[in-house]
């Protein structure tokens, strides 16, 4: 892996937050360095998995919270 390309730069690249000139340099490095390209590919896969992750509690969790809340109100 090219030492000038840090993990932070790859993360910025994946989230499209890297400056244009740095982006061009990184893309050039990705074409030449297979280890760097694999690292970038792994980050892209992780990004997709995180984006697809559940963003709401399960129904069971909601019911547990509601039941707990009801039990507190009955104790008053």
């Amino acid at each position: 892996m090219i030492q000038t390309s840090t993990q932070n730069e790859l993360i910025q690249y994946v989230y499209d937050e890297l400056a244009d000139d740095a982006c061009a340099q990184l893309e050039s490095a990705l074409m030449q360095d297979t280890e760097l390209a694999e690292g970038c590919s792994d980050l892209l896969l992780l990004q997709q998995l995180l984006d697809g992750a559940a963003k709401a509690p399960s129904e069971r969790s909601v019911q547990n919270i509601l039941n707990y809340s009801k039990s507190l109100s009955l104790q008053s």
Side-chain angles (χ1 to χ4, degrees):
M1 186 181 299
I2 296 175
Q3 297 296 350
T4 57
S5 299
T6 65
Q7 192 77 5
N8 287 340
E9 288 174 324
L10 286 175
I11 292 170
Q12 289 174 331
Y13 178 77
V14 166
Y15 284 95
D16 198 26
E17 296 176 352
L18 197 59
D20 290 339
D21 57 331
C23 186
Q25 289 177 351
L26 183 60
E27 287 174 346
S28 175
L30 288 170
M31 298 297 283
Q32 299 171 2
D33 187 338
T34 56
E35 188 177 340
L36 182 65
E38 287 175 12
C40 188
S41 176
D42 290 344
L43 286 173
L44 286 167
L45 177 61
L46 287 172
Q47 179 194 29
Q48 288 178 343
L49 292 172
L50 286 172
D51 288 345
K55 296 179 183 168
S58 68
E59 183 62 33
R60 181 176 178 204
S61 295
V62 171
Q63 286 304 313
N64 286 341
I65 293 168
L66 291 174
N67 290 338
Y68 178 75
S69 178
K70 287 177 187 175
S71 72
L72 290 179
S73 66
L74 293 175
Q75 292 176 2
S76 299

